Amino acid sequence: MSITEKPLTQKRSWLSAPPPAPRLDEAEVKHRYPRLRLQVFLGIFLGYAGFYLIRNNISLVSAILLDQGRIDKVGIGVIANAVLISYGFSKFFMAMVSDRSNARYFLPLGLFLSALANLAVAFVPAISASVTVFAIVMFINGWFQGMGWPPSGRVLVHWFSTNERGWKTSIWNCAHNVGGMGVGAVSAWGLAITANDWHSAFWLPALVAIVVAIIAFVLIRDTPASVGLPPIEEYRDDPAKVETDTSELETSSYWQVVVQHVFKNKVMLLLAFANVFVYTLRYGVLNWVPTYLSEVHGASVTGGIAGFSLFELAGLVGTLACGWISDHVFGGNRTRTGVTFLIGVGVFLAAYWLAPVGTPYWLLMVFLFFIGAFIYGPVMLIGLQAIDMSAANVAGTSAGFTGLFGYVLGATMASSGVGFLAQHYGWGVTYGALVGGVVVAIVLLALIGPEEKRLIAEHAGKSEHSH
């Protein structure tokens, strides 16, 4: 066996996933399991919210930087895109490391390193003196940011079983809204106590993030087995949709397992391509709300920003609704849930696009609210489907793979693509293309339907057999 083919489980480092601990007795299991499930959930919720405190803070102080003549709009765009592209790649590649690492160490480490990158921006003048250097440091920050989702996905798949995972994931997914609101509040506080010194929007959130990283480390545990508890499927008598064969790593390298279960998996490829269009829709509408409302409907700047905020608030409602509906209405069938929500996106997106000039502002806000509510469901659901329909030992990598496509291709299409269409062909063609994107996303998700239906039938059979 060559060096590259050696099973990676033999090489243990401090970051490696811990081995199973001796099984606790039944009374101790009953006592500890519920408490630890709540504890690890709080750990990944707070930890993931912490990443949003320090993800891309240049947008918060761009007006100050522009006024001071330190940087122009192109420079701000370059720096912001550096984070986006880096994050997309990291979400996949760091997931491959995360799936074999201790989530208790991995998530806080990523948050701490990201905080250091933000502190460097604040306290090393040479970084902000050059757009190139600034962009490189923020690219590095984006890479550390990619260490947040994968360990969270790992915790969700190991501590929460199939028939409850939709609802639990949707609650956890609200962490990014909490973090997004938190960064605004912390940065505003920093600017208030430093007489609008833009550096405070980097160093103060970074200090808060370090405290959050410590809290996350205290709360998170890697897997139930690592603390002497039975697998979640046994504890809740709820078999996994996809069986995990850990013996594969004894005969194959981890990369070979990833190729087999992710790159050659038709479901993962369909989810990844569907995510491109879902992210194009999410950012294609959201990022251009103020511009579109101003140019087409004559809305004020503050009116446009209100639309932007409403879209994000609606996402919170839509995400929770989607998770609950996925588990309790569609019986864990994520495909049917996703298609239903995308149809909702299509209906309200068309209404928003075709609303004539003179349409009351409040009605445009209603359309925007429902677009946001419906699109954030599939945003959450595709990551959930990836961890749901893959073996637990590659769950984070599978979700990271869909995220790679969503951020690197989808978000780029939403910024550059939408901008190009609007500039050269007008808003009518642009929104026509976005509605077309809804149709493509529905078709791609629908193609996953038969396989998910088969897995659900198998899951039901296993449940009946176990009873």
Side-chain angles (χ1 to χ4, degrees):
M1 186 183 279
S2 70
I3 292 172
T4 54
E5 290 174 323
K6 278 185 183 175
L8 293 170
T9 47
Q10 289 179 356
K11 300 177 188 175
R12 285 213 174 272
S13 72
W14 64 273
L15 197 56
S16 294
R23 180 72 71 92
L24 299 170
D25 64 60
E26 204 58 41
E28 190 66 13
V29 167
K30 275 188 177 177
H31 170 68
R32 292 196 70 192
Y33 223 129
R35 181 175 60 80
L36 274 175
R37 270 162 48 95
L38 176 61
Q39 179 182 312
V40 298
F41 188 84
L42 284 172
I44 59 171
F45 187 94
L46 294 171
Y48 195 61
F51 279 90
Y52 276 82
L53 294 173
I54 48 177
R55 176 158 295 178
N56 208 356
N57 292 9
I58 190 165
S59 59
L60 296 169
V61 291
S62 56
I64 297 172
L65 294 170
L66 288 167
D67 286 345
Q68 293 177 355
R70 299 181 66 92
I71 199 167
D72 60 13
K73 287 178 183 170
V74 174
I76 286 170
V78 167
I79 293 164
N81 275 339
V83 179
L84 206 64
I85 292 166
S86 171
Y87 178 69
F89 279 106
S90 175
K91 202 173 176 184
F92 172 62
F93 288 108
M94 294 310 283
M96 292 174 62
V97 182
S98 171
D99 274 336
R100 294 169 284 137
S101 299
N102 188 337
R104 186 185 187 191
Y105 296 153
F106 200 84
L107 185 149
L109 177 65
L111 186 52
F112 179 75
L113 291 172
S114 181
L116 289 186
N118 279 264
L119 289 171
V121 168
F123 294 118
V124 181
I127 292 173
S128 57
S130 158
V131 169
T132 304
V133 178
F134 205 147
I136 289 170
V137 172
M138 292 308 283
F139 184 92
I140 293 167
N141 181 55
W143 197 266
F144 295 142
Q145 285 282 318
M147 295 173 70
W149 208 110
S152 300
R154 176 178 171 82
V155 168
L156 285 165
V157 86
H158 282 285
W159 286 91
F160 301 94
S161 67
T162 302
N163 64 19
E164 64 174 346
R165 205 175 288 145
W167 176 232
K168 293 295 193 296
T169 303
S170 66
I171 298 171
W172 167 79
N173 206 60
C174 294
H176 80 256
N177 299 95
V178 172
M181 289 184 278
V183 66
V186 174
S187 298
W189 178 34
L191 292 169
I193 62 176
T194 60
N196 271 8
D197 178 1
W198 68 269
H199 298 89
S200 62
F202 285 87
W203 64 256
L204 187 57
L207 293 178
V208 176
I210 289 171
V211 174
V212 173
I214 294 167
I215 294 169
F217 173 75
V218 170
L219 294 175
I220 295 170
R221 297 293 181 274
D222 186 57
T223 63
S226 70
V227 289
L229 298 172
I232 189 64
E233 292 79 12
E234 182 186 322
Y235 175 71
R236 295 195 78 247
D237 196 14
D238 180 22
K241 271 187 188 172
V242 177
E243 290 296 331
T244 301
D245 181 12
T246 51
S247 67
E248 283 179 311
L249 284 173
E250 293 169 19
T251 55
S252 310
S253 70
Y254 187 75
W255 178 251
Q256 288 170 322
V257 173
V258 169
V259 169
Q260 186 61 38
H261 288 286
V262 181
F263 295 160
K264 291 184 177 179
N265 185 333
K266 183 183 124 183
V267 167
M268 294 307 141
L269 291 170
L270 287 168
L271 283 171
F273 283 112
N275 214 27
V276 171
F277 292 94
V278 166
Y279 268 73
T280 301
L281 290 162
R282 172 189 176 182
Y283 286 114
V285 177
L286 177 65
N287 290 353
W288 296 94
V289 163
T291 310
Y292 178 73
L293 289 177
S294 169
E295 289 187 3
V296 176
H297 294 280
S300 64
V301 174
T302 50
I305 291 171
F308 182 99
S309 301
L310 186 69
F311 189 93
E312 286 281 31
L313 177 65
L316 196 68
V317 178
T319 299
L320 290 170
C322 185
W324 190 88
I325 289 167
S326 165
D327 280 351
H328 298 284
V329 177
F330 290 111
N333 191 316
R334 322 297 183 198
T335 303
R336 284 172 64 189
T337 314
V339 167
T340 302
F341 270 65
L342 281 170
I343 290 168
V345 173
V347 169
F348 285 97
L349 183 60
Y352 179 65
W353 161 35
L354 299 171
V357 175
T359 298
Y361 175 76
W362 67 266
L363 186 56
L364 293 170
M365 291 300 101
V366 169
F367 296 153
L368 265 178
F369 179 88
F370 282 105
I371 296 169
F374 280 116
I375 195 61
Y376 272 98
V379 166
M380 180 272 296
L381 215 52
I382 286 178
L384 172 59
Q385 269 185 290
I387 62 175
D388 230 8
M389 296 180 71
S390 63
N393 58 334
V394 290
T397 305
S398 300
F401 182 64
T402 64
L404 170 68
F405 277 67
Y407 274 95
V408 176
L409 296 177
T412 304
M413 278 169 61
S415 52
S416 309
V418 169
F420 177 83
L421 285 177
Q423 179 76 30
H424 296 284
Y425 300 100
W427 288 110
V429 170
T430 304
Y431 275 92
L434 288 171
V435 170
V438 175
V439 175
V440 175
I442 288 171
V443 170
L444 289 167
L445 278 187
L447 290 171
I448 298 166
E451 174 64 9
E452 183 161 30
K453 201 171 175 184
R454 183 187 70 77
L455 289 172
I456 288 170
E458 280 185 9
H459 173 262
K462 288 180 206 162
S463 298
E464 285 173 20
H465 181 70
S466 64
H467 288 120

